Amino acid sequence: MDAPGPHSRLDAAPSKAALRLRCFPHPETKHHGPPVRPVFLPFAGCPHRCVFCGQDKQTGQASQSLEKLWNKLRQELASRLPFSPPCELAFFGGTFTALPAPWPERFLELAAPYKRDGRVVAIRCSTRPDQTDPDRLRRLRDLGLDLVELGIQSFDPAALRASERGYTPAQALEGCANVRDAGLKLGLQFMPGMPGSTGQTLEQDMALTAGLRPEGVRLYPCVVIAGTPLATRWHRREFRPWSLERTRQELALALGTLYRARIPIWRVGLHPEPDLLHHLLAGPWHPALGQMVRSLALFDHVRTKSLALGTGPKVLYYPRRWSGEIMGHGAELRPRWERAGIRLRAHGGSGFILRQRMPR
Ligand code: SF4
């Protein structure tokens, strides 16, 4: 098997042949942060239950009083954190910035000593874009909050209306600006395939996102969870979730946009919580969805480079550590590579090399 490294024969090829080579890195901008330690506060601070939301099932955590959640965190921080590697604390599952006063402050003050001694490297929370009061954000920043993930879901007015999100695209954008203006980092969460989405919604959302340049993005395709208003719509045949195949195709295109904008992708698809799986009625959920989407996005990326190189068969030399992503889940992409006329060769280096195979 050929194994070109950084200084291989291929790199030293004469200029005439160099026209038929493309060397490139993996297109994804990786996020190199400490492990994120989630603290789930299901539905805490939420002004209403959104039609698709089953936070208790998605996180495997039942709703509890804030007092109980605070005490649980206090014990956990004291008992586990001293023995764990430094982490980023993340308040997820509710609308953190809309918790009744003084709870956001109390949670942050609880984490403050661990942040001072470096065992908590950063603190983030998730919230709704219409709960981003600038004064409150600045106060929370002063208490140690570093990053806010906004559950935007979509910037599309029809999708926001059909999903009864309760805010407009302008408010969603204002929420992003408020986070930035408060000196906080910004993360965005989207729900491809939510009620009211059309074929262009995700593409337009990603184009807008590329311009906003958040620190990272999560993509949670819309699924139907038992007990939600969306489940009722689905039973009445008023809502049809995307198929797994459509989701894979659309999300691969979305990843392409995020790759080009150099925006890290923090998550694709919901975590496989046992509770979620028991309550999942319909929709594009798969344990390997992230890998399936990333594989297709990488295939699209290489194929674009291959087309730019000219017609005819090619060989792709790829870093062995990316074998899983190149082949796809269960080697499902192998036929696509064959149809594209691209032969695959793994190597021990770090970059990708696409070489035109010249006729003998
Ligand atoms: S989607 Fe967000 S705001 Fe809506 S109920 Fe769920 S956690 Fe609360």
Side-chain angles (χ1 to χ4, degrees):
M1 185 175 280
D2 300 14
H7 306 295
S8 69
R9 197 160 43 88
L10 284 173
D11 291 326
S15 59
K16 209 166 128 201
L19 290 173
R20 294 174 176 82
L21 281 179
R22 282 285 183 284
C23 305
F24 53 95
H26 190 287
E28 183 167 355
T29 299
K30 292 288 178 190
H31 165 72
H32 299 289
V36 171
R37 194 182 184 102
V39 179
F40 291 117
L41 312 172
F43 300 118
C46 299
H48 63 267
R49 296 271 171 111
C50 298
V51 295
F52 42 69
C53 187
Q55 275 301 331
D56 45 348
K57 280 118 192 170
Q58 286 163 232
T59 60
Q61 315 267 328
S63 264
Q64 291 175 44
S65 73
L66 290 168
E67 188 73 48
K68 267 193 183 156
L69 291 164
W70 187 89
N71 274 312
K72 200 169 136 199
L73 178 63
R74 184 172 55 83
Q75 284 162 14
E76 220 181 280
L77 291 176
S79 61
R80 297 223 200 125
L81 221 55
F83 310 103
S84 316
C87 67
E88 177 165 0
L89 214 54
F91 294 99
F92 283 162
T95 306
F96 187 78
T97 56
L99 295 184
W103 282 104
E105 291 81 0
R106 284 197 69 192
F107 277 107
L108 292 174
E109 281 161 2
L110 189 57
Y114 300 95
K115 202 171 178 208
R116 276 197 294 275
D117 73 14
R119 279 176 287 172
V120 169
V121 176
I123 303 176
R124 68 172 67 193
C125 74
S126 62
T127 195
R128 292 167 53 94
D130 58 352
Q131 299 295 332
T132 52
D133 173 69
D135 288 340
R136 188 161 221 199
L137 288 181
R138 276 192 288 273
R139 203 166 56 249
L140 299 182
R141 178 207 60 199
D142 291 344
L143 288 171
L145 188 66
D146 297 284
L147 186 150
V148 174
E149 290 195 29
L150 292 181
I152 295 285
Q153 318 308 358
S154 176
F155 289 109
D156 182 79
L160 291 175
R161 254 195 321 274
S163 299
E164 298 171 23
R165 284 291 287 168
Y167 52 82
T168 62
Q171 285 173 294
L173 287 168
E174 192 186 343
C176 299
N178 287 345
V179 171
R180 288 277 197 229
D181 291 349
L184 291 157
K185 293 178 182 164
L186 175 69
L188 299 181
Q189 302 177 0
F190 290 92
M191 185 167 282
M194 68 198 266
S197 314
T198 68
Q200 284 78 50
T201 305
L202 185 58
E203 197 185 325
Q204 288 165 359
D205 282 339
M206 291 303 104
L208 253 174
T209 300
L212 290 168
R213 308 208 60 77
E215 266 66 36
V217 164
R218 292 179 201 272
L219 299 170
Y220 295 123
C222 186
V223 294
V224 181
I225 298 172
T228 62
L230 194 61
T232 311
R233 290 192 197 177
W234 176 74
H235 280 302
R236 291 185 190 144
R237 296 175 188 274
E238 292 166 6
F239 172 71
R240 227 175 85 204
W242 283 1
S243 67
L244 189 60
E245 185 49 30
R246 177 177 180 187
T247 304
R248 199 167 70 119
Q249 303 279 352
E250 298 239 10
L251 266 62
L253 291 176
L255 258 58
T257 306
L258 297 175
Y259 286 171
R260 287 188 291 281
R262 309 197 68 72
I263 296 171
I265 296 133
W266 290 331
R267 177 83 202 170
V268 175
L270 293 170
H271 286 267
E273 283 295 333
D275 240 33
L276 168 71
L277 303 186
H278 288 138
H279 291 89
L280 190 65
L281 297 179
W285 189 86
H286 189 285
L289 181 64
Q291 186 199 357
M292 292 161 87
V293 170
R294 282 188 161 87
S295 294
L296 192 53
L298 180 58
F299 173 81
D300 288 345
H301 183 77
V302 175
R303 192 182 46 179
T304 303
K305 296 211 175 279
S306 166
L307 293 173
L309 206 54
T311 51
K314 319 269 176 14
V315 182
L316 175 71
Y317 299 91
Y318 64 92
R320 188 166 285 110
R321 70 191 174 99
W322 293 114
S323 295
E325 203 167 304
I326 283 286
M327 291 301 172
H329 179 64
E332 64 182 353
L333 289 187
R334 198 186 287 275
R336 281 195 195 230
W337 289 111
E338 283 167 11
R339 280 200 302 276
I342 300 174
R343 272 173 47 195
L344 300 170
R345 294 281 182 272
H347 69 84
S350 59
F352 291 74
I353 301 165
L354 193 60
R355 191 191 74 181
Q356 176 94 48
R357 282 166 58 205
M358 302 304 294
R360 288 169 191 272

